[in-house]
Amino acid sequence: MFTAAPIGAWEFSAFGGIGIVDRPRGEESQDDIAMVGVLGKRPLGKALLRVEVQGFAQSRIYGDNWALAADVEWPVHPAFAVLGGGQLSKGRFYGSGEIRIGLVARF
C-alpha cells in the first residue's frame, strides 16, 4: 500500500497487487487476478468523507470488475459513528451498486 502526502484537505492512499483465489465447486485450478485501488479521505465538518475507486482484472470466474464508493461517517459518540454512503459498480463480483446506512464502532 502507498500513502501519499496530503493534497489540500485530501489524504490519498493507493494499493495494488496480485491475488490468487480458489475456484468454486471443487475445480482444481485457481483464479489469478490483478487488483488496484485508490482511496481519498478528508474532513467534512465533524464528519469524515471517503471516496474509493477499486477494481480487478483478468479473473476467469468474475471477469473485469470495478467499483466507485463514497461514504460519510458522522461521530455521535467517541466510540460510535453513523455511516451513510453508496457504491456504483460493474461486474459479477461487485454487482451493480448499493446504498449503505449503519453504525460504526470507532477504535
Side-chain angles (χ1 to χ4, degrees):
M1 181 152 107
F2 171 73
T3 302
I7 300 173
W10 289 89
E11 180 183 320
F12 289 94
S13 300
F15 68 88
I18 297 172
I20 300 172
V21 181
D22 286 338
R23 300 208 51 182
R25 298 181 212 106
E27 295 180 29
E28 291 185 26
S29 73
Q30 64 196 29
D31 194 17
D32 303 328
I33 56 176
M35 302 170 287
V36 66
V38 176
L39 168 69
K41 59 184 179 179
R42 66 163 286 161
L44 188 63
K46 292 184 178 184
L48 178 64
L49 171 64
R50 288 183 293 260
V51 178
E52 180 177 16
V53 62
Q54 60 178 300
F56 63 85
Q58 304 302 318
S59 171
R60 288 176 283 185
I61 299 171
Y62 300 110
D64 297 338
N65 290 261
W66 64 268
L68 172 64
D71 63 61
V72 177
E73 184 179 311
W74 294 277
V76 293
H77 184 273
F80 295 98
V82 174
L83 178 90
Q87 174 177 305
L88 296 174
S89 50
K90 181 166 179 18
R92 292 194 327 235
F93 182 76
Y94 288 128
S96 60
E98 60 187 36
I99 294 175
R100 303 177 186 128
I101 299 173
L103 291 175
V104 177
R106 302 177 82 186
F107 299 95

